[in-house]
Amino acid sequence: MKLNIFLKKIETYFIAWFLLYAFLVGVNILINYKLKTTGDTQLFNLLIWISIFLSLEDQKRNLYPDISKINFAISLFFLVIIIFQLNSISIENNNYLYLLPLEISFMMAFLNKKINNLRIFIPSFIFTFLYALRPVILKLFDPIFVNMTSWSSWIGLNMVGFKGVFLNNSNEIILKTSGVKIYNGCSGVDMIIFTLSILIVCSIIYPFPKPKINILIFGFGAILSFFINVIRICLLAFFNNLDSNLGSKAFEFFHISYGSQIFHIISIILSLTTYMFFLERQLSKS
């Protein structure tokens, strides 16, 4: 009888833990939407949570709670931080959004397992840490990649036969009478971060028998993302040069609207397809 009561308590706690986790994830996604963060940020955020769900789904038998008073204290500490940040977040001040998934992951981990038994949550810590690093990486590498993307786009347009293509101030491509200026947000770094993060997630959930291959796949993913973004910039320059209303609508869709996310998705699909292809080959040989 006592055993049944104990098991019921554990089951009830697990359900409450799961519902709280789902609620906090929902709040995080909703805040990104309400604050009108960029489409790639919202997509990245959503894919991070999907990746965490997949990593925990494999560990569902080990997710039944085993906690202590210290765990509750640490979780309450993270809860206070989360509540404070939620009150401070605004359209003008949204840097906390990148830390929120990491803090939610730590809080929910400490509400589930003791400090010395948190290893099943390591993938979720890694995924959310990558997300938190995103603005730092963008700030460091955007200026470098602006010039690289500009030159590559200029070379690409010349190679496919466009005449009168000029590169002005190392970040402005001019086709005939108009063109595009490439700023930090268009450098391609964001797409590279996006693709590499998903590949890292994949390598943790579905690891290679020989980890050295990961380096080659990551390199391929970074180069692929860069050139997919170059193709996007070339298309934007072409659309902006059209005199018709269709050209301006196409430019707006692929630049400002969710059309830009199509290129992120293409990069992810091609990178993941390559990853799974080599993974299957390695597994068939082992």
Side-chain angles (χ1 to χ4, degrees):
M1 184 67 180
K2 288 183 178 179
L3 180 61
N4 289 335
I5 294 172
F6 176 72
L7 291 175
K8 285 180 180 179
K9 284 183 179 179
I10 292 178
E11 187 73 29
T12 303
Y13 183 89
F14 174 73
I15 293 171
W17 177 87
F18 179 80
L19 290 175
L20 178 60
Y21 207 152
F23 172 74
L24 291 173
V25 170
V27 168
N28 181 232
I29 293 171
L30 183 62
I31 289 174
N32 273 278
Y33 176 75
K34 288 291 185 181
L35 292 180
K36 296 180 180 179
T37 55
T38 58
D40 53 346
T41 300
Q42 293 183 39
L43 184 60
F44 194 8
N45 180 264
L46 181 62
L47 286 176
I48 286 295
W49 288 122
I50 291 173
S51 302
I52 290 173
F53 170 78
L54 290 174
S55 68
L56 292 179
E57 201 274 336
D58 287 341
Q59 298 286 342
K60 56 187 176 183
R61 291 184 179 179
N62 300 319
L63 283 176
Y64 282 93
D66 177 24
I67 59 174
S68 64
K69 291 179 181 179
I70 296 176
N71 288 67
F72 273 112
I74 296 172
S75 299
L76 284 174
F77 170 74
F78 279 108
L79 181 60
V80 170
I81 293 175
I82 290 169
I83 293 172
F84 170 77
Q85 291 180 349
L86 288 176
N87 289 327
S88 305
I89 290 174
S90 63
I91 295 176
E92 296 78 18
N93 181 29
N94 60 6
N95 290 329
Y96 289 136
L97 280 177
Y98 293 101
L99 291 173
L100 199 55
L102 183 63
E103 291 160 356
I104 291 172
S105 295
F106 272 108
M107 173 184 163
M108 298 312 299
F110 282 109
L111 276 176
N112 192 276
K113 287 287 181 286
K114 292 179 180 178
I115 295 175
N116 60 350
N117 198 25
L118 292 173
R119 59 184 178 275
I120 65 172
F121 292 98
I122 289 176
S124 64
F125 297 156
I126 294 173
F127 303 158
T128 50
F129 181 69
L130 289 171
Y131 184 76
L133 275 181
R134 181 173 174 247
V136 178
I137 296 173
L138 285 174
K139 190 173 182 179
L140 288 174
F141 290 98
D142 256 341
I144 300 170
F145 276 79
V146 163
N147 290 335
M148 291 172 60
T149 302
S150 302
W151 278 97
S152 299
S153 302
W154 176 74
I155 292 169
L157 286 167
N158 278 285
M159 285 180 65
V160 296
F162 284 98
K163 295 180 180 180
V165 183
F166 299 99
L167 183 63
N168 185 34
N169 296 326
S170 297
N171 74 328
E172 183 179 12
I173 299 171
I174 301 173
L175 265 170
K176 294 182 180 178
T177 58
S178 62
V180 291
K181 273 192 174 183
I182 300 169
Y183 295 105
N184 286 348
C186 300
S187 66
V189 175
D190 207 14
M191 192 181 296
I192 293 171
I193 297 171
F194 199 91
T195 303
L196 288 181
S197 296
I198 299 302
L199 285 175
I200 290 170
V201 167
C202 196
S203 68
I204 292 172
I205 299 175
Y206 308 106
F208 268 105
K210 295 180 180 179
K212 290 182 180 179
I213 298 178
N214 285 336
I215 299 173
L216 296 175
I217 300 295
F218 293 163
F220 170 78
I223 294 169
L224 177 69
S225 300
F226 175 79
F227 282 107
I228 287 176
N229 185 64
V230 168
I231 293 171
R232 172 177 168 264
I233 297 298
C234 291
L235 287 173
L236 288 175
F238 171 72
F239 289 138
N240 199 39
N241 192 60
L242 294 177
D243 295 328
S244 64
N245 187 41
L246 178 63
S248 60
K249 285 184 177 179
F251 177 85
E252 184 178 342
F253 177 73
F254 287 110
H255 182 235
I256 302 172
S257 184
Y258 285 95
S260 62
Q261 306 317 308
I262 293 172
F263 295 93
H264 285 75
I265 293 170
I266 291 171
S267 177
I268 290 170
I269 290 173
L270 292 177
S271 298
L272 287 180
T273 302
T274 304
Y275 186 94
M276 297 310 294
F277 172 77
F278 282 103
L279 178 62
E280 287 178 3
R281 289 192 63 181
Q282 283 294 310
L283 292 175
S284 63
K285 288 179 181 180
S286 59

